Amino acid sequence: MSEASAPHAADRRELTAAQRNAVAELLRVSPVADELGRRFVRAGHELHLVGGSVRDALLGRLGDDLDFCTDAHPDETLRIIKGWAESIWETGREFGTIGAQRDGLRLEITTFRAESYDQVSRNPVVVYGTSLDEDLKRRDFTINAMAVSLPDHRFTDPHGGLDDLSAKVIRTPSTPGESFGDDPLRMLRAARFAAQLRFAVHPDVHLAMTEMAADLDRITAERIRDEFTKLLCGADPITGLRLLVDTGLADRFLPELTGLKLEIDEHAQHKDVYEHTLTVVENAVSYEEDGCDFILRMAALLHDAGKPATKAVGSDGRVSFHHHEVVGARLTKARMKAMRYPKEVTAKVTALVALHLRFYGYGRGEWTDSAVRRYVADAGDLLPRLHKLTRSDCTTRNRRKAAQLAADYDALEDRIARIAAEEDLARVRPDLDGNAIMELLGVPPGPVVGRAWKHLKEQRLEHGPLDRDAAEAELLRWARAEGLIP
């Protein structure tokens, strides 16, 4: 840590006292932790609030999930909490963890660990430790290697986690190489904490992440996905994303992000797609109304993923990316599938990427009411997100152009609202349902009904609602043209 980034000693002492008092106060008003501590002490064992719980308490954001460590083995822990806990679960028993619930709090109690890794996968070989210091040393970062003993509230910080928390820096208890060699996922966790807490990684940590990025290949796609999702949903995802690209970690599981760094030369200038993308993500975050909208953020991140593959330079030196939304949607679907995202989430993000350019051209006055209906119908329940993504995509520094784009989209939203007031745009469907089609044409359920339904829906999109007589006349006209009726 440089002198410039380190807090003055007096400031550090003052902050330490204030934060220690905050932890003690939080524990004082939360009797569950002290009750549990007394039960372990009476049984001849230690109990410590530890890890993220201590970190979050110091930051004033302790939630309802509390992490503890103890010298008691799982069987002993079960005996101690039986009859006290309202519910108990043993899903983590293989790793020495017993879960319990009491007074609305979820408690995870883990036996001291001194685990080692096989250097091939992330799976640890669990070896129970014998001391708190040994347990804290094996944790990922110093800010997660602090403990508060119960019930006496003694604070333990052997690796300077409190100083690092004050300086907002992410550092490892052991050397970064040793820590990441044991568990490569910790490199991604460093970027995730940087995004969640708005912290900087220590230069030694940054160097190790860069040199050991390829070790991330040892980690399963599901675990990488979960860490990346938390990163993207952090308070400052841009910091985390830059770390992934700068260290080469993104190349291991999300190469499309690094690929946005297209070469820009004096003969074929275009907007910096990488920087533009980060700005779009930042804009999208500003449009959120109630916590992280992962689907919107992921669509913002990948909306231009198809540009590298579609870049072309014309004879006039102008750069184009024709149909990059189509290519981008295909790449997005493949990448999210590889990262094991659920099909429903993948489908929504892919659809937003495919639709994000649809609005451009509206300002030229070419859109009919039919085009507006199709825009709404194609977006479906993604329309609110599409509005936000399209507005986020406007990153031009030309104030006049930015104002015009904003005005055009205001006009489109007003037009959608006007048409919606006249028609049920949220549920665009044919004016005759399947039963009416079968009755009028005298056909059983089957492909003919589906074709007829599709035709009537096209008419509905093109012309708006038809009354019953007009809808029936149109169906009969279509059926005759298809040779289905004389």
Side-chain angles (χ1 to χ4, degrees):
M1 192 188 316
S2 69
E3 288 294 324
S5 63
H8 294 298
D11 295 337
R12 191 161 59 238
R13 284 195 301 271
E14 181 180 350
L15 187 59
T16 297
Q19 291 183 321
R20 286 180 176 174
N21 289 336
V23 172
E25 178 63 12
L26 283 169
L27 292 174
R28 183 185 65 78
V29 299
S30 181
V32 169
D34 285 348
E35 286 178 18
L36 186 60
R38 284 191 288 270
R39 293 181 72 89
F40 272 81
V41 169
R42 284 197 298 267
H45 292 290
E46 303 173 25
L47 186 73
H48 312 274
L49 186 70
V50 72
S53 292
V54 175
R55 180 199 70 227
D56 289 344
L58 290 166
L59 292 172
R61 43 181 273 178
L62 183 62
D64 295 332
D65 295 337
L66 302 180
D67 295 324
F68 301 89
C69 67
T70 179
D71 60 336
H73 287 199
D75 286 343
E76 297 167 284
T77 294
L78 284 170
R79 283 195 293 270
I80 292 170
I81 65 175
K82 187 176 181 180
W84 176 82
E86 295 163 357
S87 61
I88 297 173
W89 55 94
E90 302 180 44
T91 51
R93 183 179 184 135
E94 178 184 358
F95 301 105
T97 300
I98 299 297
Q101 182 164 324
R102 172 85 177 192
D103 292 349
L105 298 175
R106 288 174 56 88
L107 320 172
E108 289 204 341
I109 308 162
T110 303
T111 304
F112 290 154
R113 296 214 299 243
E115 63 201 22
S116 60
Y117 292 76
D118 59 14
Q119 300 295 319
V120 176
S121 70
R122 184 182 183 270
N123 297 326
V125 179
V126 177
V127 178
Y128 292 143
T130 58
S131 71
L132 175 61
D133 284 348
E134 186 179 22
D135 183 272
L136 295 178
K137 184 178 180 180
R138 56 155 284 275
R139 294 182 178 268
D140 53 5
F141 305 111
T142 60
I143 59 174
N144 296 330
M146 298 177 283
V148 176
S149 302
L150 300 167
D152 62 351
H153 301 173
R154 176 172 48 85
F155 185 76
T156 302
D157 179 22
H159 304 288
L162 192 54
D163 283 350
D164 289 342
L165 198 67
S166 301
K168 298 185 177 180
V169 64
I170 297 170
R171 195 167 53 85
T172 55
S174 57
T175 67
E178 181 182 355
S179 181
F180 298 155
D182 278 347
D183 184 359
L185 189 66
R186 289 173 174 172
M187 295 186 286
L188 195 51
R189 283 170 61 82
R192 188 252 286 189
F193 281 122
Q196 286 185 327
L197 303 176
R198 300 181 187 273
F199 281 19
V201 298
H202 189 278
D204 291 346
V205 173
H206 192 288
L207 179 61
M209 291 167 68
T210 304
E211 293 179 341
M212 302 177 67
D215 285 11
L216 193 64
D217 296 348
R218 289 161 41 193
I219 307 303
T220 64
E222 291 81 2
R223 290 186 178 276
I224 290 175
R225 173 202 64 205
D226 291 347
E227 284 297 329
F228 176 74
T229 300
K230 293 173 183 176
L231 182 157
L232 193 59
C233 279
D236 181 17
I238 306 307
T239 291
L241 293 169
R242 288 192 186 280
L243 261 175
L244 294 182
V245 172
D246 293 346
T247 59
L249 285 169
D251 294 338
R252 315 314 304 184
F253 69 95
L254 191 62
E256 290 80 8
L257 179 56
T258 306
L260 295 175
K261 284 195 164 187
L262 301 179
E263 181 180 354
I264 303 176
D265 58 59
E266 61 182 349
H267 303 296
Q269 291 188 5
H270 59 81
K271 184 181 295 184
D272 185 322
V273 181
Y274 173 68
E275 292 297 333
H276 162 74
T277 295
L278 296 183
T279 301
V280 174
V281 173
E282 195 170 32
N283 290 344
V285 171
S286 71
Y287 281 113
E288 291 173 343
E289 299 165 1
D290 186 23
C292 173
D293 184 343
F294 172 77
I295 290 170
L296 175 63
R297 293 192 188 193
M298 192 65 168
L301 183 66
L302 294 176
H303 78 285
D304 277 348
K307 279 191 171 180
T310 58
K311 179 182 176 182
V313 182
S315 57
D316 59 356
R318 295 174 65 88
V319 177
S320 64
F321 304 97
H322 294 306
H323 305 301
H324 76 265
E325 75 281 13
V326 177
V327 175
R330 185 170 65 247
L331 291 173
T332 296
K333 182 178 181 180
R335 179 54 54 197
M336 293 189 69
K337 180 180 180 181
M339 294 179 71
R340 304 291 194 270
Y341 278 103
K343 290 182 179 179
E344 181 181 356
V345 173
T346 298
K348 290 180 178 180
V349 175
T350 300
L352 286 171
V353 172
L355 290 168
H356 84 274
L357 277 188
R358 182 77 69 85
F359 159 72
Y360 293 94
Y362 178 81
R364 296 195 296 266
E366 300 170 355
W367 282 33
T368 61
D369 282 357
S370 172
V372 175
R373 292 188 196 99
R374 291 179 188 277
Y375 186 76
V376 174
D378 289 347
D381 60 3
L382 292 174
L383 185 62
R385 286 190 175 107
L386 183 57
H387 287 333
K388 294 174 183 177
L389 177 60
T390 302
R391 289 185 180 276
S392 297
D393 197 22
C394 177
T395 63
T396 178
R397 295 180 181 179
N398 184 317
R399 293 185 178 180
R400 181 181 300 177
K401 184 177 180 181
Q404 185 60 58
L405 285 170
D408 288 345
Y409 210 84
D410 286 343
L412 175 58
E413 289 197 32
D414 289 344
R415 191 170 175 188
I416 289 172
R418 176 181 60 77
I419 298 176
E422 302 168 358
E423 311 170 20
D424 187 6
L425 279 186
R427 299 169 59 191
V428 173
R429 59 187 59 191
D431 297 283
L432 300 176
D433 62 18
N435 290 328
I437 291 171
M438 289 187 287
E439 181 180 352
L440 194 60
L441 298 183
V443 297
V448 169
V449 178
R451 287 165 50 204
W453 191 93
K454 183 177 181 180
H455 173 75
L456 288 176
K457 181 176 180 180
E458 286 296 314
Q459 294 300 305
R460 172 75 165 77
L461 288 169
E462 187 67 28
H463 303 292
L466 301 176
D467 61 30
R468 180 78 182 198
D469 290 342
E472 290 183 353
E474 176 57 33
L475 176 62
L476 293 174
R477 186 202 64 74
W478 173 83
R480 291 190 188 95
E482 293 289 313
L484 298 174
I485 59 175

